[in-house]
Amino acid sequence: MPKPDPRPESIALLERLVAALAARGIVSEEEIAAKRAATERASPQIGARMVARAWIDPAFRALLLADGSRAASLFGADMRGQPPLGVLEDRPGLHHLVVCTLCSCYPRAVLGYPPAWYKSQAYRARAVRDPRRVLAEWGTVLPPDVQVRVVDSTAEYRWMVLPLRPAGTEGWEEAQLASLITAETLVGVRLPQPGPALPA
Amino acid sequence: MTPRFAPGQRVRVRPVWPEALGRLHLRTPHYLRGQAGVIERCLGRFPNPEDLAFRRPAAERDLYHVLFDQRAIWPEAAPGDTLLVEIFEHWLEAADAQA
Amino acid sequence: MAQSEPPPPYHHDLGGAARFRCTPIEPDDPPLSDFDRRVDALRALLRQKGLITTDEQRLAIESLPPEAYDGLTYYEKWLRAIVAVLLARGVIGWEDLA
């Protein structure tokens, strides 16, 4: 497996590249810092809030499924120049799992940086062929009568899952519901689980 | 322009392996070549990434979400499990053309 | 092409690759390094400025030798791809990087 730390020569190459681009007036350090800050405003909290809203607001749910990009922009995601966002709805008996076997396509505008496991070669290779064992590695065991639908994100869209609202969350407020949602539930490796503590 | 295929229609991913021709940019995974599936929905028209990757003029092509039975692809798959994949029109043919 | 065996997948085309059948997936997600975040931001800026497209970047990553594809970190591959595209477009020259 690749080491998580970049090699010194890669760091040196990046700095020479940035210096060359800066010398030509193409990119400045200030622009890089600003772009980095803007990128880091995207996080799974955006996707989580969208799902929680969809669970309590049927009109928003309809919009989310019909035009994910517009729904995301209503939650502050910057969709300009971004690939279209598609949202796939889990139903009783149907569970979606998203992977990109060719690279690592990921709905970054609403989930932020892709996690290391999503980018790993093992996940990319196995999710399409052995999804139930992959799910089991996250402790997600689905009964045989639930169809696992693996979504290989090969081309133009970025896909996010709208999971089923878990039982036991009746009467929860939107923020409480959003707290159940993580990047893992929006990709489909985990199901949202209400914690052992009952909400106030 | 009307897409060539409609939701519900049976299609097949063309059984071709252009990898043999050299370094190309292909967005149809190798494991799906020759596999039969069903059009789930039309996803719109997009410039062909096979051209964009080389900065060639890229004509727009229809893109589809195609649903496959996992078991037809991987014999060890659980019955009923499926795969949903974005595939451009030029990679698809009507499945009844060659049963 | 019909009568002979299909050629193997490109190295990056990993769907179903048998060599990973028994490789567990590490479920953790360590934080990105400063290098990672800088490369990510630089790529986003260059794309915004029309100097690289997603598909050019993808092709450049796919064109890495298998040892580099397997051995480099995710953002090291991005950096190599950015450099390859900018060199090919003539935005920079190799003398800038030597």
Side-chain angles (χ1 to χ4, degrees), chain A residues 3 7 16 35 129, chain C residues 21 48-49 73 76 97:
Chain A
K3 291 200 197 77
R7 293 148 186 76
R16 281 197 296 271
K35 179 56 79 179
R129 183 163 187 170
Chain C
R21 187 172 282 185
Q48 193 177 307
K49 292 168 188 280
T73 69
E76 284 179 321
L97 305 174

Side-chain angles (χ1 to χ4, degrees), chain A residues 72-152:
Chain A
S73 59
L74 296 178
F75 277 76
D78 184 0
M79 301 306 287
R80 287 169 303 169
Q82 295 294 319
L85 174 69
V87 179
L88 297 161
E89 183 185 34
D90 284 351
R91 298 192 298 267
L94 176 66
H95 177 81
H96 291 89
L97 175 69
V98 180
V99 61
C100 171
T101 61
L102 296 175
C103 41
S104 307
C105 298
Y106 189 73
R108 296 184 47 156
V110 290
L111 293 188
Y113 293 119
W117 55 264
Y118 186 86
K119 299 181 290 191
S120 72
Q121 297 198 17
Y123 182 74
R124 289 168 50 200
R126 292 182 52 212
V128 282
R129 183 163 187 170
D130 194 14
R132 288 180 184 262
R133 278 210 308 160
V134 168
L135 288 168
E137 285 172 40
W138 270 270
T140 304
V141 178
L142 298 168
D145 60 343
V146 173
Q147 176 189 140
V148 175
R149 181 167 293 181
V150 180
V151 182
D152 190 353

